[in-house]
Amino acid sequence: MTTDFPTKATSPGNSREKHKEIPLHTTTTHNNTATAPTTAIEKDLLMTMPTPNKGHERVAQCPLALWNTKEFYLYYLAFASVVPYMFYTTYRLGREDAPNYPMYSSMLSEGWMFGRKLDNTDDQYAQFRQHLPILSLLVFVYLCASQLWSHYAGTQISRRLRFSLTASLVAITIFHGTSILKILAIISTSYAIGKCTGGSRWNPVLTWGFNLLALFMNEWYKGYSFASLESRLAWMMACSIQFTMLRLISFNMDYYWQFQKSRVEYEKKEDLPLHPLSDKERVTLPCHVSEYNYMYFLAYVLYTPLYLCGPIITFNDFISQIREPSHYLSRRSTFLYTLRLVGVILIMEWILHHLYVVAISKSQAWVGNSPLELSMIGYFNLTIIWMKLLIPWRFFRLWAMADGIWTGENMVRCMSNNFSAQRFWKSWHRTFNRWTVRYIYIPLGGSKYMAFNMWIVFTFVALWHDIKLNLLAWGWLICIFLAPELLATYFFSYKTFGQKPYYRFVCGVGAVANIIMMMIANLVGFCLGLEGMKHMILEIFGTVQGLIYLVSASVCIFICSQIQFEIREEEKRKGNSQWIM
């Protein structure tokens, strides 16, 4: 949902391994326009990967793990007592004898678990939950047809894309009805802009201008509803342009960059990487010029498994995988991913049947609640937000995997396993993060102008989600809350202080502040809004009871941060690059 900025990443845990930053940049032509990433360093633009000075063999020299120390045994005791109490406190608010229960009880639905009511008041997840059976049927029919087509027509790239495009047109007609005419008009106009302007500087200017205009018009006309033109056509479905917009910009910019260094130039200079291609190489390596055509464009933009809400994939990557499937794909990985999806759906069902925090926040039924109870309402609202996004993204990613397209995982870490604002944005809606880095952050100058670029990026991210004041406030709060971490990283760097015995604990104090600020920003943007957040802050900071709770909560968050540090250290010891997130 947000973006990450490539910066130096170090873990504040017990490892003393030093790392160097890989700078990210784009080359420039004589007219100072951004060009395609072409060097080995630029191929790393999607994520800064700190590299050990002497290779992975240094991992074996890391100090011993802290899991079996007396310090961590105390942490385990705290976890065993505090976490169940958090659930119990929130569950108690949803009992029929709770003082505020009558204020939101009418919003609850009949459930199917243990005779409990169901909090199905989150509109986004309620829509997905309601349509999950028909979506599953659509997936089954699509995959069967795709397999039959591949069996009889072969797997030649043009034939496969012909099937994909045909199936997409049928599916999108079902989704949007006659609004498909508006969708085709918008995407065809964007295609025409890209093809007509080619490698000139007008390509990015007109591409971004047109798509931003389409985004604002989409909000103004509520999805370009035909009802705004003629009332008797009100029954027709309105279309959403947000995710389509990202794919339109991706095609035009990938086409623009291939003029700076085409596939032919890579082949002439023997710059083509060895097979199999890495994920980053699939993104940065341009397609053949002939592949930037209207049929391939439509097949990419309207690709059914990823059409509704992603995960997001670039045009270069999509065509590369049609030509040569990712080596990550296998029947075993797809099956295990299916089990993971089913498991997280069941967990979500349990939460919605036992913790009625969404209904409480929507009805503002928190009169008389203690600071602890208010905080739990906020915390579990954020948990549900994380899960309601995780589940659809995994569903559609699984669909694409079963169809032979590998996309990145959008939620790399659990929401509760984050201590750094920068790293948090690396693991939340990750494919969107990578898109913003490639198409906004790097062309604007990357880390060289980070203090300026992050405001543009987060403003775009906020407006892309929805044109609302609370989301703008959310985006700008993120920029403000990033500043303390950036300053602390600069003045209290790992290079200078990493060997000090107190370094990990000072980082823990910083993590407490980071986590609290991240919760405030996301509660304002996606849950309580400005007024609800104001009430919660006054209750916590404006009373003695609230301040006592704040100190207790800070101690718990500090303990949690130490566990998170050690998790990263464990990942580093195993050579898992995920430790930087």
Side-chain angles (χ1 to χ4, degrees):
M1 300 170 64
T2 50
T3 189
D4 60 291
F5 300 109
T7 56
K8 182 181 291 184
T10 55
S11 172
N14 62 319
S15 173
R16 296 295 178 260
E17 185 177 8
K18 295 181 180 179
H19 294 78
K20 61 184 179 180
E21 179 184 5
I22 299 178
L24 303 181
H25 61 280
T26 55
T27 57
T28 56
T29 61
H30 66 280
N31 57 10
N32 205 33
T33 56
T35 65
T38 58
T39 67
I41 289 178
E42 291 168 335
K43 289 177 182 178
D44 221 9
L45 63 89
L46 300 182
M47 177 176 64
T48 300
M49 295 292 293
T51 307
N53 289 339
K54 294 185 179 180
H56 290 292
E57 65 271 12
R58 289 288 304 278
V59 173
Q61 300 175 13
C62 289
L64 295 176
L66 299 176
W67 300 118
N68 293 321
T69 62
K70 292 180 180 179
E71 175 192 348
F72 270 62
Y73 287 145
L74 291 176
Y75 297 163
Y76 303 150
L77 181 62
F79 264 80
S81 55
V82 172
V83 173
Y85 188 68
M86 291 168 61
F87 278 90
Y88 174 71
T89 299
T90 313
Y91 168 79
R92 191 174 55 191
L93 295 174
R95 295 194 310 200
E96 294 184 2
D97 59 351
N100 295 327
Y101 182 80
M103 297 176 65
Y104 65 87
S105 59
S106 61
M107 302 174 67
L108 303 179
S109 309
E110 291 298 324
W112 60 272
M113 266 190 183
F114 314 117
R116 297 276 303 175
K117 294 279 189 177
L118 170 71
D119 183 356
N120 198 33
T121 53
D122 185 283
D123 296 332
Q124 282 184 319
Y125 189 72
Q127 286 290 317
F128 175 80
R129 187 175 182 272
Q130 177 184 352
H131 293 97
L132 184 57
I134 193 169
L135 282 172
S136 300
L137 178 61
L138 177 62
V139 171
F140 178 77
V141 172
Y142 178 94
L143 293 176
C144 288
S146 179
Q147 289 297 316
L148 286 173
W149 179 271
S150 298
H151 179 74
Y152 290 105
T155 57
Q156 186 180 1
I157 181 171
S158 59
R159 292 179 180 177
R160 182 178 176 186
L161 288 176
R162 194 174 293 117
F163 165 80
S164 177
L165 177 57
T166 303
S168 296
L169 290 172
V170 172
I172 293 169
T173 301
I174 295 173
F175 292 154
H176 296 298
T178 53
S179 285
I180 191 175
L181 301 175
K182 293 172 287 186
I183 296 173
L184 290 175
I186 293 169
I187 64 178
S188 297
T189 302
S190 181
Y191 174 81
I193 289 172
K195 294 297 286 187
C196 291
T197 55
S200 75
R201 68 178 64 186
W202 286 107
N203 189 335
V205 172
L206 293 178
T207 292
W208 274 98
F210 171 77
N211 280 282
L212 287 175
L213 176 63
L215 183 68
F216 279 93
M217 295 299 288
N218 179 66
E219 176 68 18
W220 182 268
Y221 286 106
K222 306 299 181 184
Y224 304 103
S225 173
F226 274 123
S228 61
L229 304 178
E230 192 171 354
S231 59
R232 67 189 182 194
L233 300 177
W235 58 270
M236 297 184 180
M237 292 185 64
C239 63
S240 175
I241 198 68
Q242 279 93 333
F243 282 92
T244 303
M245 169 193 176
L246 303 181
R247 290 185 283 267
L248 296 179
I249 292 174
S250 176
F251 175 85
N252 281 10
M253 293 304 295
D254 285 358
Y255 180 60
Y256 167 73
W257 279 326
Q258 71 87 27
F259 281 94
Q260 316 303 325
K261 187 174 181 180
S262 67
R263 181 99 178 192
V264 174
E265 291 180 83
Y266 274 94
E267 293 170 348
K268 285 180 179 179
K269 296 181 180 180
E270 298 183 351
D271 287 340
L272 284 176
L274 297 175
H275 294 275
L277 296 175
S278 70
D279 291 340
K280 294 170 189 175
E281 290 163 346
R282 290 182 184 276
V283 171
T284 58
L285 186 65
C287 301
H288 297 287
V289 177
S290 61
E291 291 174 333
Y292 293 95
N293 61 60
Y294 190 60
M295 188 186 83
Y296 285 22
F297 164 79
L298 285 179
Y300 161 68
V301 172
L302 303 178
Y303 181 58
T304 306
L306 305 179
Y307 173 75
L308 290 178
C309 64
I312 301 159
I313 187 173
T314 69
F315 178 79
N316 286 348
D317 192 3
F318 178 76
I319 297 300
S320 173
Q321 292 198 49
I322 295 292
R323 188 189 306 111
E324 180 186 350
S326 172
H327 64 279
Y328 293 118
L329 290 172
S330 67
R331 290 184 179 180
R332 182 177 183 274
S333 65
T334 304
F335 175 73
L336 292 177
Y337 200 76
T338 303
L339 294 182
R340 291 175 62 190
L341 175 62
V342 172
V344 76
I345 289 175
L346 292 176
I347 293 173
M348 182 65 154
E349 288 295 304
W350 186 91
I351 290 176
L352 295 180
H353 279 81
H354 292 84
L355 309 178
Y356 302 147
V357 292
V358 180
I360 291 173
S361 63
K362 285 199 169 187
S363 60
Q364 298 186 356
W366 46 53
V367 178
N369 287 159
S370 68
L372 170 62
E373 291 169 336
L374 287 171
S375 296
M376 291 303 99
I377 292 171
Y379 171 77
F380 282 105
N381 259 292
L382 292 178
T383 302
I384 289 174
I385 290 172
W386 175 72
M387 294 190 70
K388 79 170 185 180
L389 297 172
L390 173 75
I391 290 172
W393 281 334
R394 284 193 172 177
F395 177 87
F396 292 110
R397 181 175 186 247
L398 175 63
W399 184 356
M401 288 171 62
D403 193 41
I405 297 294
W406 175 271
T407 67
E409 178 71 81
N410 267 338
M411 297 297 201
V412 180
R413 285 199 187 276
C414 173
M415 180 210 74
S416 300
N417 186 14
N418 289 279
F419 60 85
S420 162
Q422 295 181 75
R423 297 187 185 197
F424 178 71
W425 305 132
K426 289 184 178 182
S427 59
W428 182 289
H429 203 169
R430 179 145 183 76
T431 59
F432 186 32
N433 298 340
R434 291 180 168 185
W435 187 96
T436 55
V437 169
R438 175 169 171 80
Y439 298 109
I440 303 178
Y441 183 70
I442 297 298
L444 289 176
S447 57
K448 183 178 180 180
Y449 305 106
M450 180 178 178
F452 171 74
N453 290 343
M454 68 180 185
W455 290 91
I456 296 178
V457 171
F458 278 113
T459 298
F460 168 77
V461 170
L463 295 176
W464 179 82
H465 279 91
D466 208 347
I467 304 175
K468 291 182 179 179
L469 178 60
N470 64 315
L471 285 174
L472 275 175
W474 161 78
W476 294 337
L477 278 173
I478 290 170
C479 294
I480 294 171
F481 291 163
L482 274 171
E485 180 178 338
L486 294 173
L487 291 173
T489 303
Y490 180 79
F491 290 107
F492 195 69
S493 66
Y494 178 85
K495 181 179 180 180
T496 306
F497 297 96
Q499 304 295 331
K500 304 295 183 181
Y502 55 78
Y503 183 75
R504 176 165 59 91
F505 300 102
V506 175
C507 287
V509 175
V512 172
N514 267 343
I515 291 170
I516 291 175
M517 288 188 293
M518 286 190 290
M519 290 183 67
I520 290 174
N522 283 288
L523 285 170
V524 168
F526 299 99
C527 180
L528 303 180
L530 289 169
E531 288 300 318
M533 194 67 243
K534 179 181 177 182
H535 174 77
M536 180 177 290
I537 289 175
L538 288 176
E539 286 294 321
I540 294 176
F541 290 90
T543 64
V544 175
Q545 183 186 11
L547 291 174
I548 294 173
Y549 163 74
L550 180 62
V551 173
S552 302
S554 297
V555 172
C556 293
I557 296 173
F558 176 86
I559 292 172
C560 183
S561 70
Q562 297 303 314
I563 297 290
Q564 293 177 37
F565 294 164
E566 189 59 21
I567 290 173
R568 271 65 169 185
E569 292 298 322
E570 187 68 25
E571 292 170 347
K572 190 195 300 185
R573 283 188 285 267
K574 293 179 179 179
N576 184 352
S577 63
Q578 187 171 309
W579 73 271
I580 69 167
M581 289 183 284

